[in-house]
Amino acid sequence: MKSLKYYSLFFTAIFFLSSCNDVLEEIPRDRLTSELFYKTKSDALAAVNAIYQPIRTTACMGQFYNAQQDVMSDYSTGRGSYIPVGNYQGLDATNIGRTSGIWIQFYASINYANIAIQQIPNIQMNTTEQNALVAEARFMRAFCYYQLVRNWGAVPLRLEPTTSEKQIAAPRASVASVYNAIIEDLKAGETALPDAAPQAGRPNKLAATAMLADVYLTQEKWELARDKSEQVISSGKYALVEVSKADDF
């Protein structure tokens, strides 16, 4: 009888432990996760807004990227730690660090763009607004790759979110492949971006068209560059600023 009693207690314990498994499995609610986020229009907008943050920092277009480029121009002179770059002496240790940071920030923005492009279509929201946000993410991805390919040539081409360390060591894609991806993203922008940007600094359809003109010009596709430029000019929405004195710049 004693052994029967122990067996009964043993199987009862197993039953209760197994039935409690589902109850004990909790979804964390004290932090943001991909499973809990990307549910609303606000989440979609936040996903797109995140793309801008890395490249706006001092480590990228907030300072170092522009300085590294402009210091080599004929209207600028490098001072202090920028002297080697301004004098076309290459990158010293300081400027190698700055250039590395620029690379990192562009790829951070690209990864945020890839996440937005993947997740926003799953959100229940107005289709036109949804498509516009995806197109904005694609525009920003194209913008980042355009800076990368012109400065580094063949670079890793990431069109999906990076979610594992195993994905970090990606091979370099050909320059042609990178430009093809840029053009496809900008064409999507021409289709789905709004006619008027909802906020200053964010792209609209003609921003995608103007950038396509620049891309085609860089590729020496003269007729395509001319046609895209003509679309922007003939829209009548933009004009060159009249300059009569230095302060007008």
Side-chain angles (χ1 to χ4, degrees):
M1 291 294 292
K2 233 180 222 186
S3 61
L4 183 61
K5 177 181 177 183
Y6 289 138
Y7 275 121
S8 176
L9 288 171
F10 176 73
F11 285 115
T12 301
I14 290 177
F15 171 77
F16 278 112
L17 285 173
S18 61
S19 64
C20 287
N21 281 344
D22 292 339
V23 177
L24 295 174
E25 288 179 5
E26 291 188 292
I27 298 175
R29 302 183 187 281
D30 61 339
R31 69 205 73 176
L32 290 176
T33 65
S34 57
E35 291 79 15
L36 296 176
F37 203 64
Y38 310 113
K39 302 294 184 185
T40 67
K41 175 184 173 181
S42 295
D43 295 342
L45 183 58
V48 171
N49 288 344
I51 301 167
Y52 294 87
Q53 191 277 331
I55 59 174
R56 292 183 65 185
T57 62
T58 298
C60 196
M61 304 195 83
Q63 179 178 331
F64 290 160
Y65 181 74
N66 304 322
Q68 295 278 32
Q69 301 287 328
D70 286 353
V71 78
M72 293 184 285
S73 67
D74 57 2
Y75 57 80
S76 180
T77 301
R79 295 187 299 175
S81 60
Y82 286 105
I83 290 175
V85 182
N87 290 340
Y88 306 101
Q89 300 301 309
L91 302 176
D92 60 1
T94 299
N95 289 293
I96 286 173
R98 288 170 176 162
T99 304
S100 175
I102 292 166
W103 171 280
I104 290 168
Q105 298 308 314
F106 275 128
Y107 271 107
S109 283
I110 287 168
N111 196 46
Y112 289 151
N114 287 337
I115 291 169
I117 292 164
Q118 181 188 78
Q119 295 289 346
I120 292 174
N122 300 323
I123 296 174
Q124 296 296 318
M125 59 182 292
N126 178 276
T127 303
T128 301
E129 293 177 341
Q130 184 180 61
N131 292 339
L133 288 172
V134 172
E136 184 174 351
R138 294 188 67 174
F139 176 95
M140 291 306 301
R141 182 171 69 179
F143 176 85
C144 291
Y145 271 123
Y146 192 37
Q147 314 312 314
L148 288 168
V149 73
R150 287 192 296 173
N151 284 283
W152 281 276
V155 295
L157 183 60
R158 303 175 186 277
L159 302 178
E160 299 288 339
T162 301
T163 58
S164 167
E165 291 182 1
K166 295 178 181 179
Q167 297 172 274
I168 293 175
R172 297 168 75 185
S174 68
V175 169
S177 297
V178 178
Y179 272 112
N180 287 340
I182 290 169
I183 291 168
E184 287 303 309
D185 280 346
L186 293 176
K187 285 181 176 179
E190 282 191 301
T191 300
L193 282 170
D195 292 324
Q199 185 179 5
R202 293 173 65 184
N204 61 5
K205 290 182 186 293
L206 287 176
T209 303
M211 191 169 166
L212 268 173
D214 198 17
V215 170
Y216 288 140
L217 197 63
T218 303
Q219 292 183 302
E220 300 183 3
K221 296 179 178 179
W222 312 122
E223 292 184 359
L224 290 173
R226 177 202 62 199
D227 294 344
K228 289 300 176 182
S229 298
E230 181 60 32
Q231 280 183 245
V232 178
I233 294 168
S234 62
S235 72
K237 294 183 177 181
Y238 306 100
L240 297 178
V241 176
E242 292 291 336
V243 173
S244 58
K245 57 184 184 301
D247 286 347
D248 291 338
F249 285 102

